[in-house]
Amino acid sequence: VFVRVAALAALVLSAWPAQALVLAVNEGVTYRVSNDEIRARYAAIAADVSRIVGQPVTVEPVSHYPTLAQGLKDKSYDLALVHPAHHSIRAIKSSGYKLLAVAKGYENYRASFFVRADSSLRSLADLKGQRLGAPDEDSITAWMVRAALRDAVGDARTVNVTYTRYQDAVPFFVDNRLTTAGASAAGSVIKDWQAKGGKIIAQSKAVPIKHLIAAPSLSAAQQAALRSYFIELDGTEDGRRKLEPSKLKGFAAWDEGQMLALGQWLGL
């Protein structure tokens, strides 16, 4: 990876100050992950980024969405790996961030709507006037849920949505008839639901999540060097070893215009 980006990195290294570059990492609010674990996951990658840019790199876990939103608005993060696509799309749209890549394996993230085996509901339109359980109100899943409901019933507010912090709590609502249906984008939740006989009645449009974005403080040359590094990372055994703690398969290029169009669908 370094051989292919070294020439490009050399063009910009001499112009870069030695101040610390901040790599913010948000892995979503609906999963239980500690800050220390997040720092450890990205330590090897951060060390590579530091060598490429010639600056120290600080990994800053940011699990609190309002903090993430404010940091992106203030351009406090030089690089950010953001799970909730709506926050990175807002940063691209309003704060000058550029989309460098998306995480492989998360390009087709969809919210699935599920009901009990004995439910008479067959489509999203049937949820009008019903109660629906969904993950955290500002999770990307919840944004996808509301957009899909809007498309199906005209106004998502006609569905009474009960939110819970963790995705794996949603089936509890449905099992115990606290809600008529549930929604989740967690593959394990949906697989377990179907395994016990539960039904899936609909899925939302797909949205790539886990975006790598760069602040306008980084020059075009810096962004290009970093984009090359991340996209090529899974192409070597060494790179794959560095990705392994993060549980990411790698990174892929994605059209920024298409991402902004998805932001319009989400209602951003």
Side-chain angles (χ1 to χ4, degrees):
V1 172
F2 289 120
V3 173
R4 297 188 64 179
V5 301
L8 181 55
L11 294 175
V12 293
L13 272 175
S14 61
W16 294 353
Q19 65 189 26
L21 181 150
V22 177
L23 168 59
V25 176
N26 178 284
E27 295 195 326
V29 298
T30 56
Y31 303 95
R32 302 171 178 87
V33 182
S34 72
N35 285 349
D36 286 343
E37 183 179 350
I38 293 171
R39 292 188 185 97
R41 286 179 177 183
Y42 295 94
I45 289 174
D48 281 353
V49 171
S50 179
R51 284 191 287 271
I52 291 171
V53 303
Q55 298 172 244
V57 174
T58 300
V59 177
E60 184 173 334
V62 188
S63 61
H64 187 234
Y65 278 18
T67 301
L68 173 68
Q70 190 63 48
L72 292 171
K73 182 178 180 180
D74 295 341
K75 306 179 184 65
S76 300
Y77 314 128
D78 300 285
L79 283 173
L81 179 59
V82 181
H83 169 98
H86 54 297
H87 282 287
S88 60
I89 292 171
R90 280 201 194 106
I92 294 167
K93 181 179 178 181
S94 304
S95 299
Y97 278 79
K98 300 298 291 183
L99 179 64
L100 298 187
V102 300
K104 289 183 176 178
Y106 295 90
E107 300 98 326
N108 293 301
Y109 197 74
R110 298 175 186 269
S112 292
F113 296 80
F114 55 90
V115 295
R116 293 182 301 275
D118 61 355
S119 175
S120 62
L121 302 186
R122 296 290 181 266
S123 70
L124 286 185
D126 294 336
L127 288 176
K128 190 171 184 178
Q130 302 293 324
R131 297 184 65 86
L132 174 75
D136 188 275
E137 188 170 3
D138 194 34
S139 66
I140 180 57
T141 302
W143 278 88
M144 294 162 68
V145 164
R146 290 190 293 269
L149 290 174
R150 180 200 64 223
D151 290 350
V153 301
D155 185 346
R157 292 172 297 182
T158 63
V159 179
N160 189 344
V161 182
T162 300
Y163 297 101
T164 180
R165 181 172 175 82
Y166 297 112
Q167 298 226 28
D168 52 12
V170 177
F172 175 86
F173 291 164
V174 187
D175 275 332
N176 291 278
R177 302 182 183 274
L178 300 174
T179 63
T180 308
S184 176
S188 59
V189 170
I190 300 305
K191 183 178 179 180
D192 290 347
W193 186 260
Q194 291 179 297
K196 67 180 186 180
K199 297 186 295 188
I200 306 300
I201 60 171
Q203 285 189 312
S204 74
K205 184 181 295 188
V207 175
I209 60 169
K210 296 190 185 296
H211 303 170
L212 180 68
I213 58 176
S217 58
L218 297 178
S219 69
Q222 291 171 333
Q223 292 178 22
L226 292 169
R227 180 183 289 110
S228 294
Y229 165 73
F230 279 97
I231 290 176
E232 296 168 10
L233 191 55
D234 64 331
T236 66
E237 185 176 346
D238 180 60
R240 290 188 290 273
R241 280 198 302 268
K242 291 168 180 174
L243 282 165
E244 188 174 354
S246 73
K247 305 187 187 303
L248 297 176
K249 298 177 181 177
F251 293 87
W254 194 271
D255 182 77
E256 189 175 282
Q258 291 181 4
M259 195 68 74
L260 289 171
L262 284 171
Q264 288 186 315
W265 174 72
L266 289 168
L268 301 175

mmCIF file of all heavy atoms in Angstrom, residues 218-242:
data_model
loop_
_atom_site.group_PDB
_atom_site.id
_atom_site.type_symbol
_atom_site.label_atom_id
_atom_site.label_comp_id
_atom_site.label_asym_id
_atom_site.label_seq_id
_atom_site.Cartn_x
_atom_site.Cartn_y
_atom_site.Cartn_z
ATOM 1 N N LEU A 218 -7.788 19.487 5.094
ATOM 2 C CA LEU A 218 -6.854 18.644 4.354
ATOM 3 C C LEU A 218 -6.892 19.027 2.883
ATOM 4 O O LEU A 218 -7.967 19.172 2.299
ATOM 5 C CB LEU A 218 -7.219 17.173 4.518
ATOM 6 C CG LEU A 218 -7.132 16.609 5.943
ATOM 7 C CD1 LEU A 218 -7.562 15.158 5.957
ATOM 8 C CD2 LEU A 218 -5.729 16.751 6.493
ATOM 9 N N SER A 219 -5.727 19.178 2.288
ATOM 10 C CA SER A 219 -5.652 19.576 0.882
ATOM 11 C C SER A 219 -6.100 18.445 -0.031
ATOM 12 O O SER A 219 -6.248 17.297 0.399
ATOM 13 C CB SER A 219 -4.211 19.947 0.530
ATOM 14 O OG SER A 219 -3.387 18.781 0.545
ATOM 15 N N ALA A 220 -6.301 18.776 -1.286
ATOM 16 C CA ALA A 220 -6.696 17.761 -2.260
ATOM 17 C C ALA A 220 -5.646 16.662 -2.353
ATOM 18 O O ALA A 220 -5.982 15.473 -2.481
ATOM 19 C CB ALA A 220 -6.924 18.403 -3.623
ATOM 20 N N ALA A 221 -4.366 17.035 -2.271
ATOM 21 C CA ALA A 221 -3.294 16.040 -2.338
ATOM 22 C C ALA A 221 -3.309 15.141 -1.101
ATOM 23 O O ALA A 221 -3.101 13.924 -1.193
ATOM 24 C CB ALA A 221 -1.946 16.734 -2.467
ATOM 25 N N GLN A 222 -3.557 15.728 0.050
ATOM 26 C CA GLN A 222 -3.640 14.938 1.273
ATOM 27 C C GLN A 222 -4.813 13.964 1.201
ATOM 28 O O GLN A 222 -4.691 12.791 1.549
ATOM 29 C CB GLN A 222 -3.802 15.871 2.476
ATOM 30 C CG GLN A 222 -2.573 16.704 2.786
ATOM 31 C CD GLN A 222 -2.857 17.768 3.837
ATOM 32 O OE1 GLN A 222 -3.988 18.232 3.983
ATOM 33 N NE2 GLN A 222 -1.824 18.170 4.565
ATOM 34 N N GLN A 223 -5.933 14.465 0.727
ATOM 35 C CA GLN A 223 -7.107 13.609 0.616
ATOM 36 C C GLN A 223 -6.859 12.462 -0.365
ATOM 37 O O GLN A 223 -7.263 11.326 -0.119
ATOM 38 C CB GLN A 223 -8.314 14.435 0.184
ATOM 39 C CG GLN A 223 -8.785 15.422 1.243
ATOM 40 C CD GLN A 223 -9.960 16.254 0.775
ATOM 41 O OE1 GLN A 223 -10.680 15.869 -0.139
ATOM 42 N NE2 GLN A 223 -10.167 17.407 1.395
ATOM 43 N N ALA A 224 -6.187 12.758 -1.460
ATOM 44 C CA ALA A 224 -5.906 11.721 -2.454
ATOM 45 C C ALA A 224 -4.989 10.647 -1.877
ATOM 46 O O ALA A 224 -5.184 9.446 -2.123
ATOM 47 C CB ALA A 224 -5.278 12.343 -3.697
ATOM 48 N N ALA A 225 -3.972 11.061 -1.112
ATOM 49 C CA ALA A 225 -3.050 10.100 -0.509
ATOM 50 C C ALA A 225 -3.785 9.194 0.479
ATOM 51 O O ALA A 225 -3.579 7.976 0.501
ATOM 52 C CB ALA A 225 -1.915 10.838 0.187
ATOM 53 N N LEU A 226 -4.658 9.780 1.268
ATOM 54 C CA LEU A 226 -5.400 9.004 2.252
ATOM 55 C C LEU A 226 -6.440 8.111 1.590
ATOM 56 O O LEU A 226 -6.642 6.963 1.993
ATOM 57 C CB LEU A 226 -6.058 9.946 3.265
ATOM 58 C CG LEU A 226 -5.067 10.678 4.178
ATOM 59 C CD1 LEU A 226 -5.758 11.780 4.957
ATOM 60 C CD2 LEU A 226 -4.386 9.692 5.123
ATOM 61 N N ARG A 227 -7.110 8.635 0.557
ATOM 62 C CA ARG A 227 -8.083 7.812 -0.168
ATOM 63 C C ARG A 227 -7.395 6.570 -0.749
ATOM 64 O O ARG A 227 -7.917 5.448 -0.636
ATOM 65 C CB ARG A 227 -8.741 8.626 -1.285
ATOM 66 C CG ARG A 227 -9.774 7.827 -2.084
ATOM 67 C CD ARG A 227 -10.362 8.631 -3.226
ATOM 68 N NE ARG A 227 -11.244 9.691 -2.754
ATOM 69 C CZ ARG A 227 -10.957 10.988 -2.819
ATOM 70 N NH1 ARG A 227 -9.787 11.395 -3.333
ATOM 71 N NH2 ARG A 227 -11.821 11.881 -2.391
ATOM 72 N N SER A 228 -6.247 6.763 -1.357
ATOM 73 C CA SER A 228 -5.513 5.632 -1.935
ATOM 74 C C SER A 228 -5.138 4.615 -0.868
ATOM 75 O O SER A 228 -5.281 3.397 -1.068
ATOM 76 C CB SER A 228 -4.256 6.135 -2.644
ATOM 77 O OG SER A 228 -4.576 6.927 -3.763
ATOM 78 N N TYR A 229 -4.654 5.099 0.258
ATOM 79 C CA TYR A 229 -4.259 4.190 1.335
ATOM 80 C C TYR A 229 -5.440 3.331 1.788
ATOM 81 O O TYR A 229 -5.337 2.099 1.860
ATOM 82 C CB TYR A 229 -3.707 4.976 2.523
ATOM 83 C CG TYR A 229 -3.622 4.148 3.781
ATOM 84 C CD1 TYR A 229 -2.651 3.165 3.921
ATOM 85 C CD2 TYR A 229 -4.553 4.308 4.807
ATOM 86 C CE1 TYR A 229 -2.593 2.372 5.057
ATOM 87 C CE2 TYR A 229 -4.510 3.527 5.945
ATOM 88 C CZ TYR A 229 -3.525 2.561 6.068
ATOM 89 O OH TYR A 229 -3.482 1.773 7.186
ATOM 90 N N PHE A 230 -6.566 3.964 2.086
ATOM 91 C CA PHE A 230 -7.695 3.214 2.629
ATOM 92 C C PHE A 230 -8.297 2.261 1.597
ATOM 93 O O PHE A 230 -8.649 1.120 1.930
ATOM 94 C CB PHE A 230 -8.753 4.167 3.169
ATOM 95 C CG PHE A 230 -8.439 4.682 4.550
ATOM 96 C CD1 PHE A 230 -7.829 5.924 4.712
ATOM 97 C CD2 PHE A 230 -8.715 3.922 5.667
ATOM 98 C CE1 PHE A 230 -7.529 6.398 5.984
ATOM 99 C CE2 PHE A 230 -8.408 4.386 6.938
ATOM 100 C CZ PHE A 230 -7.811 5.622 7.110
ATOM 101 N N ILE A 231 -8.417 2.696 0.355
ATOM 102 C CA ILE A 231 -9.016 1.837 -0.673
ATOM 103 C C ILE A 231 -8.118 0.645 -0.986
ATOM 104 O O ILE A 231 -8.598 -0.452 -1.284
ATOM 105 C CB ILE A 231 -9.325 2.658 -1.940
ATOM 106 C CG1 ILE A 231 -10.490 3.623 -1.650
ATOM 107 C CG2 ILE A 231 -9.674 1.751 -3.113
ATOM 108 C CD1 ILE A 231 -10.825 4.549 -2.795
ATOM 109 N N GLU A 232 -6.817 0.831 -0.866
ATOM 110 C CA GLU A 232 -5.872 -0.245 -1.176
ATOM 111 C C GLU A 232 -5.537 -1.108 0.041
ATOM 112 O O GLU A 232 -4.843 -2.124 -0.080
ATOM 113 C CB GLU A 232 -4.584 0.351 -1.742
ATOM 114 C CG GLU A 232 -4.784 1.076 -3.060
ATOM 115 C CD GLU A 232 -3.569 1.904 -3.472
ATOM 116 O OE1 GLU A 232 -2.508 1.757 -2.827
ATOM 117 O OE2 GLU A 232 -3.680 2.694 -4.423
ATOM 118 N N LEU A 233 -6.045 -0.752 1.202
ATOM 119 C CA LEU A 233 -5.620 -1.387 2.448
ATOM 120 C C LEU A 233 -5.859 -2.888 2.472
ATOM 121 O O LEU A 233 -5.022 -3.653 2.961
ATOM 122 C CB LEU A 233 -6.338 -0.719 3.632
ATOM 123 C CG LEU A 233 -5.858 -1.062 5.041
ATOM 124 C CD1 LEU A 233 -4.363 -0.793 5.199
ATOM 125 C CD2 LEU A 233 -6.653 -0.265 6.070
ATOM 126 N N ASP A 234 -6.989 -3.344 1.941
ATOM 127 C CA ASP A 234 -7.292 -4.771 1.995
ATOM 128 C C ASP A 234 -6.617 -5.562 0.874
ATOM 129 O O ASP A 234 -6.840 -6.764 0.744
ATOM 130 C CB ASP A 234 -8.806 -5.007 1.953
ATOM 131 C CG ASP A 234 -9.433 -4.558 0.643
ATOM 132 O OD1 ASP A 234 -8.892 -3.624 0.017
ATOM 133 O OD2 ASP A 234 -10.466 -5.129 0.237
ATOM 134 N N GLY A 235 -5.760 -4.893 0.104
ATOM 135 C CA GLY A 235 -5.102 -5.556 -1.019
ATOM 136 C C GLY A 235 -3.831 -6.277 -0.643
ATOM 137 O O GLY A 235 -3.235 -6.962 -1.486
ATOM 138 N N THR A 236 -3.396 -6.144 0.598
ATOM 139 C CA THR A 236 -2.191 -6.842 1.061
ATOM 140 C C THR A 236 -2.489 -7.591 2.346
ATOM 141 O O THR A 236 -3.416 -7.250 3.097
ATOM 142 C CB THR A 236 -1.036 -5.859 1.328
ATOM 143 O OG1 THR A 236 -1.385 -5.007 2.437
ATOM 144 C CG2 THR A 236 -0.743 -5.001 0.101
ATOM 145 N N GLU A 237 -1.705 -8.600 2.625
ATOM 146 C CA GLU A 237 -1.887 -9.362 3.863
ATOM 147 C C GLU A 237 -1.668 -8.479 5.082
ATOM 148 O O GLU A 237 -2.399 -8.559 6.078
ATOM 149 C CB GLU A 237 -0.924 -10.557 3.882
ATOM 150 C CG GLU A 237 -1.129 -11.478 5.077
ATOM 151 C CD GLU A 237 -0.222 -12.697 5.018
ATOM 152 O OE1 GLU A 237 0.361 -12.967 3.951
ATOM 153 O OE2 GLU A 237 -0.111 -13.370 6.067
ATOM 154 N N ASP A 238 -0.664 -7.602 4.999
ATOM 155 C CA ASP A 238 -0.384 -6.685 6.103
ATOM 156 C C ASP A 238 -1.571 -5.754 6.341
ATOM 157 O O ASP A 238 -1.972 -5.515 7.489
ATOM 158 C CB ASP A 238 0.870 -5.860 5.790
ATOM 159 C CG ASP A 238 1.208 -4.882 6.898
ATOM 160 O OD1 ASP A 238 1.440 -5.329 8.038
ATOM 161 O OD2 ASP A 238 1.214 -3.657 6.630
ATOM 162 N N GLY A 239 -2.138 -5.235 5.268
ATOM 163 C CA GLY A 239 -3.290 -4.359 5.395
ATOM 164 C C GLY A 239 -4.489 -5.067 5.991
ATOM 165 O O GLY A 239 -5.200 -4.507 6.836
ATOM 166 N N ARG A 240 -4.704 -6.303 5.574
ATOM 167 C CA ARG A 240 -5.836 -7.067 6.112
ATOM 168 C C ARG A 240 -5.660 -7.340 7.601
ATOM 169 O O ARG A 240 -6.646 -7.349 8.354
ATOM 170 C CB ARG A 240 -6.023 -8.363 5.331
ATOM 171 C CG ARG A 240 -6.550 -8.136 3.902
ATOM 172 C CD ARG A 240 -6.918 -9.436 3.224
ATOM 173 N NE ARG A 240 -5.758 -10.256 2.905
ATOM 174 C CZ ARG A 240 -5.045 -10.160 1.784
ATOM 175 N NH1 ARG A 240 -5.368 -9.251 0.881
ATOM 176 N NH2 ARG A 240 -4.014 -10.950 1.580
ATOM 177 N N ARG A 241 -4.427 -7.546 8.031
ATOM 178 C CA ARG A 241 -4.173 -7.740 9.463
ATOM 179 C C ARG A 241 -4.514 -6.471 10.250
ATOM 180 O O ARG A 241 -5.041 -6.544 11.362
ATOM 181 C CB ARG A 241 -2.708 -8.105 9.700
ATOM 182 C CG ARG A 241 -2.374 -9.566 9.440
ATOM 183 C CD ARG A 241 -1.063 -9.966 10.102
ATOM 184 N NE ARG A 241 0.041 -9.129 9.640
ATOM 185 C CZ ARG A 241 0.835 -9.428 8.610
ATOM 186 N NH1 ARG A 241 0.623 -10.547 7.937
ATOM 187 N NH2 ARG A 241 1.808 -8.637 8.260
ATOM 188 N N LYS A 242 -4.230 -5.332 9.668
ATOM 189 C CA LYS A 242 -4.529 -4.069 10.345
ATOM 190 C C LYS A 242 -6.025 -3.786 10.384
ATOM 191 O O LYS A 242 -6.519 -3.132 11.301
ATOM 192 C CB LYS A 242 -3.776 -2.925 9.660
ATOM 193 C CG LYS A 242 -2.275 -3.011 9.877
ATOM 194 C CD LYS A 242 -1.505 -2.065 8.982
ATOM 195 C CE LYS A 242 -0.003 -2.214 9.251
ATOM 196 N NZ LYS A 242 0.809 -1.419 8.310
#
